[in-house]
Amino acid sequence: MDELNFPYDITPFTEEESEELLNYLQSSKIVYNHIGPKAYVLPREYNRKEAANIYNFPVRSDDVFVVTFPKSGTTWTQELVWLLLNDLDYEKAKKKLNDRFPFLEASLFSFEDTFSGHVKDGELQDFGPPTVDDIKALPSPRFIKTHLPLSLLPPNLLEETKVVYVTRDPRDVAVSFYHHYKLMRVMAPDRDFKTYWNFFMNGKITFGPYFASVLEAWEKRNHPNMLFLFYEELSKDLPGVIRRVANFFDKKITEEQIEELREHLKFDNFKKNKSVNYQDMQDKGIFMKDGGFVRKGKVGGWREYFDEEMTVQAEKWINDHIKDTDFKFPE
């Protein structure tokens, strides 16, 4: 692999940026870079060699990609897609989702310093994610999750295979991501949300900026190999989304099967499902005991976190980013 076969610059955070973010997070020692002209934020492990390895990932025609900004309904969608394309095999679905549907760039995140002192020696190795090369070698059909924007993924992705993209109201995304940072010990437990929200709006969180990533996918929403979904649709009309996904993949499904899958994916059931909720990582101390990987799934829950000033600020921030586009969130 030619490590220069990647079209974008990778630039370290300035000392001021790093100090500001790490002072806020407190518990994290992750060092960040900006990627490309949109200044996407990824850890320094995403270097030119690894970036090129992903950018030149050999896509197969029977691959299935679920692409999202983090905390946008990724896990929910993965389980839905996997079951539809595996003949609703609920027995096989008891195997951990991250084994059935691996996270493409997971191995580029090193949390050993973050988890130090919380996990017994050697136990962290049991949870080591597959590398990009491991995922390359998986047998077909491969099911692959990623949070990377389309511009950092293989340029031929949509020409070669099908992609399901899911997005969510960024205010709810920010609340969920804020709790996720705490769950993963990336952020100290006492950090306030208002400061986090400002980092989020300014694109200074992992995988940010939010709108740069989402609007890249929105521009491709009419491609025949792209299915663009909103979390709010999953929450409001799960049977309808199941039908849309089945139709996208040309899978026949009966009303009885839709109801069975809806029950399996119903949020209260999904939250208790040990194959998707990463309970084992909490049991081992890798994640914090408080909270959960699958948290509340609430649409509009952001209102509990935003004061009047933040609400006005958020509305302006959203409108400024979508005013010159035809992007809009579901009513």
Side-chain angles (χ1 to χ4, degrees), residues 76-137:
W76 214 5
T77 306
Q78 285 176 267
E79 183 77 343
L80 190 167
V81 168
W82 190 92
L83 278 163
L84 274 177
L85 297 182
N86 284 274
D87 301 320
L88 300 174
D89 192 331
Y90 295 101
E91 189 61 33
K92 285 186 179 178
K94 291 178 181 178
K95 183 179 180 181
K96 291 178 186 176
L97 181 63
N98 56 337
D99 293 330
R100 295 181 274 127
F101 214 132
F103 180 17
L104 181 60
E105 62 272 21
S107 62
L108 307 186
F109 292 83
S110 175
F111 296 115
E112 289 189 16
D113 290 336
T114 302
F115 298 140
S116 179
H118 301 286
V119 183
K120 294 179 182 178
D121 291 344
E123 284 193 346
L124 197 55
Q125 296 176 1
D126 297 337
F127 292 89
T131 65
V132 175
D133 288 336
D134 291 334
I135 296 173
K136 283 182 187 178

Side-chain angles (χ1 to χ4, degrees), residues 21 38 44 68 73 78 94 102 113 120 132-133 139 146 148 174 188 214 217 240 253 260 304 309:
L21 180 57
K38 296 178 182 177
R44 66 178 172 187
T68 72
Q78 285 176 267
K94 291 178 181 178
D113 290 336
K120 294 179 182 178
V132 175
D133 288 336
T146 180
L148 293 172
V214 170
I253 187 169
E260 185 180 26
E304 300 171 18
E309 177 189 1

Side-chain angles (χ1 to χ4, degrees), residues 175-309:
V175 170
S176 185
F177 214 170
Y178 166 74
H179 286 285
H180 187 67
Y181 265 33
K182 291 186 176 184
L183 179 73
M184 294 192 68
R185 305 184 187 276
V186 174
M187 179 166 61
D190 63 347
R191 301 295 83 184
D192 68 292
F193 175 73
K194 192 168 189 174
T195 303
Y196 179 84
W197 169 244
N198 279 284
F199 280 114
F200 186 95
M201 280 196 303
N202 291 318
K204 296 296 177 66
I205 47 91
T206 311
F207 296 106
Y210 167 87
F211 272 114
S213 184
V214 170
L215 290 176
E216 277 191 22
W218 181 251
E219 290 174 5
K220 303 289 187 180
R221 70 192 183 281
N222 293 322
H223 192 288
N225 281 341
M226 165 78 86
L227 177 62
F228 195 103
L229 299 173
F230 287 92
Y231 181 94
E232 291 77 10
E233 295 173 319
L234 280 158
S235 179
K236 182 179 180 180
D237 183 17
L238 187 51
V241 172
I242 291 171
R243 292 185 188 96
R244 285 179 62 194
V245 175
N247 183 63
F248 178 64
F249 287 105
D250 296 320
K251 295 292 289 187
K252 295 188 182 299
I253 187 169
T254 67
E255 289 302 310
E256 183 179 355
Q257 288 171 324
I258 289 172
E259 178 56 28
E260 185 180 26
L261 183 53
R262 184 201 67 81
E263 187 67 19
H264 177 81
L265 294 170
K266 191 164 67 175
F267 194 82
D268 288 345
N269 294 335
F270 194 68
K271 185 179 177 69
K272 299 171 186 174
N273 184 342
K274 291 185 178 180
S275 73
V276 303
N277 67 11
Y278 291 86
Q279 182 63 48
D280 54 339
M281 296 187 80
Q282 285 187 280
D283 294 341
K284 293 286 187 182
I286 297 173
F287 287 175
M288 292 282 287
K289 297 292 185 184
D290 294 336
F293 183 83
V294 180
R295 204 174 65 88
K296 290 187 176 180
K298 191 173 180 181
V299 172
W302 61 268
R303 292 181 177 85
E304 300 171 18
Y305 291 80
F306 283 65
D307 59 26
E308 185 176 351
E309 177 189 1

